[in-house]
Amino acid sequence: MYFAALLARTEDGWEASDTELDDVETLSDLADLAREASPDEDTVLVLIEQEDAWFGVVRVDGEDDPRIYVSDAAAAQRSAYGELLLTDELLGREPGADDGPDLDALDLDGTEDGESEENDDDDEEEEGGGGEAVPHSPVGDSQILDDLGIGEKELRILDAEDALSTIAEALGASEVLETVR
């Protein structure tokens, strides 16, 4: 179960709208959806929460590239909506790097004939997994809400269970967020 909402800053304050992410396939699609919520190119925040396990904030300011913060990358990776936010750049990976095995680099030592590959996987994990492991920690721009009154330290200590409510309260948008919850 997840909850996603758009908070668009306007001259009159924040406006909230419930959003469905089922048709969103890429971060660009999500940014476009956010931009549609603010025709004046004001700040739009996409707030996503997944079963009190993790939360994410995507900030879109006009035509600028979206800024992203995810509270727990490993938990988010297990969600289709989290995977949307966890770009290679955000995870410190080489852009376009394939998450699957590099077939040119495989050492075909007989495991292709049905032998167990468990030992190979264990060895790779012990050696650090080649940098492909996703951390059980926050990733992204932890200063994403600094100018809106939520500093890096406050953002990092938020509990996923009540993070969106706390963020909305700090923005003065808790009532409008609750109307779409």
Side-chain angles (χ1 to χ4, degrees):
M1 186 83 183
Y2 78 97
F3 171 74
L6 295 173
L7 283 179
R9 185 165 46 178
T10 67
E11 290 178 6
D12 300 327
W14 292 93
E15 290 182 6
S17 57
D18 188 12
T19 188
E20 185 64 43
L21 298 179
D22 290 342
D23 295 331
V24 176
E25 295 180 6
T26 66
L27 182 58
S28 293
D29 292 345
L30 185 61
D32 290 344
L33 181 69
R35 287 184 185 105
E36 290 172 12
S38 178
D40 295 331
E41 296 191 4
D42 285 327
T43 299
V44 177
L45 301 176
V46 181
L47 304 175
I48 303 171
E49 167 185 272
Q50 178 95 30
E51 295 180 343
D52 301 330
W54 66 273
F55 71 93
V57 178
V58 178
R59 179 176 178 160
V60 178
D61 294 300
E63 291 300 317
D64 292 347
D65 288 341
R67 296 167 56 194
I68 305 165
Y69 176 83
V70 176
S71 67
D72 183 335
Q77 185 180 26
R78 294 186 295 270
S79 158
Y81 304 111
E83 284 183 342
L84 182 73
L85 305 180
L86 297 174
T87 63
D88 288 336
E89 182 180 330
L90 192 70
L91 295 172
R93 295 179 181 162
E94 186 68 33
D98 186 8
D99 289 348
D102 179 2
L103 297 179
D104 294 332
L106 285 179
D107 181 16
L108 300 177
D109 59 0
T111 57
E112 71 275 11
D113 293 329
E115 292 180 22
S116 172
E117 294 181 34
E118 287 180 31
N119 291 342
D120 292 342
D121 290 343
D122 291 344
D123 293 343
E124 186 176 315
E125 285 176 9
E126 289 174 9
E127 294 170 12
E132 296 297 318
V134 176
H136 280 282
S137 63
V139 295
D141 185 352
S142 57
Q143 298 175 353
I144 193 169
L145 302 173
D146 273 359
D147 64 325
L148 300 175
I150 301 171
E152 178 178 358
K153 184 177 181 181
E154 292 89 355
L155 186 61
R156 287 184 173 272
I157 63 171
L158 287 177
D159 183 352
E161 185 176 334
D162 59 356
L164 300 190
S165 298
T166 303
I167 290 169
E169 185 176 320
L171 299 174
S174 54
E175 287 183 26
V176 293
L177 182 65
E178 287 305 314
T179 61
V180 298
R181 217 182 243 280

